[in-house]
Amino acid sequence: MTTTTPPSPPADATAAGPLTPTDHRAFAFLGQVNSSLRQCLCTLARHGVALRRDDPERARLLLDSVRPWPFYKGGQFLFDLMEWEDLMVDGDPPPVMPAERIVSACALPVQLLAAATAEAPGAAKLVPGSRTAAAFDLPLRLLSTTARSTFLGAAQDLTDLLGPRAAPDDDAGYATDPEPVTDDTVTELPPLEAGFYLYEDIALGALAVLGPLLADHAPTDTAPPA
């Protein structure tokens, strides 16, 4: 009688092989970045589908406005070059990323762009050292913006940490965290639509989600058309 020895269980992938534990942890981090990017892109695209479906005239005007801009054209180039469509449509749809998380991730870059593109006050006359001061003006404004954002964030974190919280049935204090204020009226986003409009949907979704953040940094003399 011949006895067959059962195969041994597979070894832990992290315990042997040419890859080190650091390699596996590095890939775990990169995988998390890919997953977050995919979730963000798919969420923005679904916001774009909703905007194109519910307000086609506004969607058309938004796209007509941004199509000539280098940011839009560069984004289209990177979208195609990096094959982000394959990343987005490969596998089951990811869960919707909260709009607050997307806005929070973009807050500092938008602040830096606002500081970098703000018009610097012109000198009334040429004075000694004015060229040096002008050269330092932009880095100082960027540093000031970053410091202000950090301070406000720390102050808000302390307020959330130290603020009184009451039981849900208590009328005093804070019963629960307040709901975030948003202009988004979409309660349930439509599914992702792969194809020709995918990049346009991402652009529309970005404008819809980040619109209030961008508007907060508009020049003070900007006024909507009558």
Side-chain angles (χ1 to χ4, degrees):
M1 179 177 181
T2 304
T3 303
T4 303
T5 304
S8 58
D12 185 0
T14 62
L19 297 182
T20 68
T22 299
D23 294 332
H24 289 285
R25 290 178 61 83
F27 280 126
F29 167 71
L30 294 176
Q32 174 183 318
V33 172
N34 270 340
S35 297
S36 295
L37 174 62
R38 179 173 185 260
Q39 185 182 7
C40 180
L41 290 174
C42 290
T43 298
L44 292 178
R46 293 176 64 180
H47 278 283
V49 172
L51 180 57
R52 184 159 50 86
R53 178 198 63 188
D54 299 336
D55 198 346
E57 181 65 15
R58 179 187 171 206
R60 183 186 65 80
L61 291 175
L62 287 173
L63 288 175
D64 288 345
S65 298
V66 300
R67 277 194 183 102
W69 293 355
F71 272 134
Y72 181 87
K73 296 178 180 179
Q76 176 75 74
F77 174 76
L78 291 176
F79 184 81
D80 295 335
L81 180 66
M82 296 185 175
E83 299 183 349
W84 278 350
E85 180 175 2
D86 295 343
L87 172 69
M88 295 172 63
V89 302
D90 183 24
D92 296 332
V96 173
M97 179 176 286
E100 293 79 11
R101 181 179 172 187
I102 299 175
V103 173
S104 176
C106 296
L108 183 56
V110 170
Q111 289 174 354
L112 294 177
L113 284 174
T117 57
E119 184 177 355
K125 60 180 180 179
L126 186 61
V127 296
S130 61
R131 294 185 180 88
T132 303
F136 278 103
D137 178 67
L138 176 58
L140 288 176
R141 281 189 286 135
L142 292 177
L143 180 61
S144 174
T145 300
T146 303
R148 182 169 61 252
S149 175
T150 303
F151 174 78
L152 292 176
Q156 186 61 55
D157 287 342
L158 287 175
T159 300
D160 295 341
L161 179 64
L162 301 177
R165 294 171 179 263
D169 56 349
D170 192 348
D171 294 334
Y174 301 101
T176 57
D177 289 333
E179 291 294 327
V181 178
T182 175
D183 292 336
D184 185 16
T185 58
V186 179
T187 56
E188 185 174 351
L189 294 176
L192 186 71
E193 293 184 4
F196 181 75
Y197 295 104
L198 187 56
Y199 176 72
E200 292 185 353
D201 287 338
I202 294 175
L204 287 174
L207 291 171
V209 173
L210 301 177
L213 175 64
L214 302 177
D216 286 343
H217 294 83
T220 55
D221 58 349
T222 302

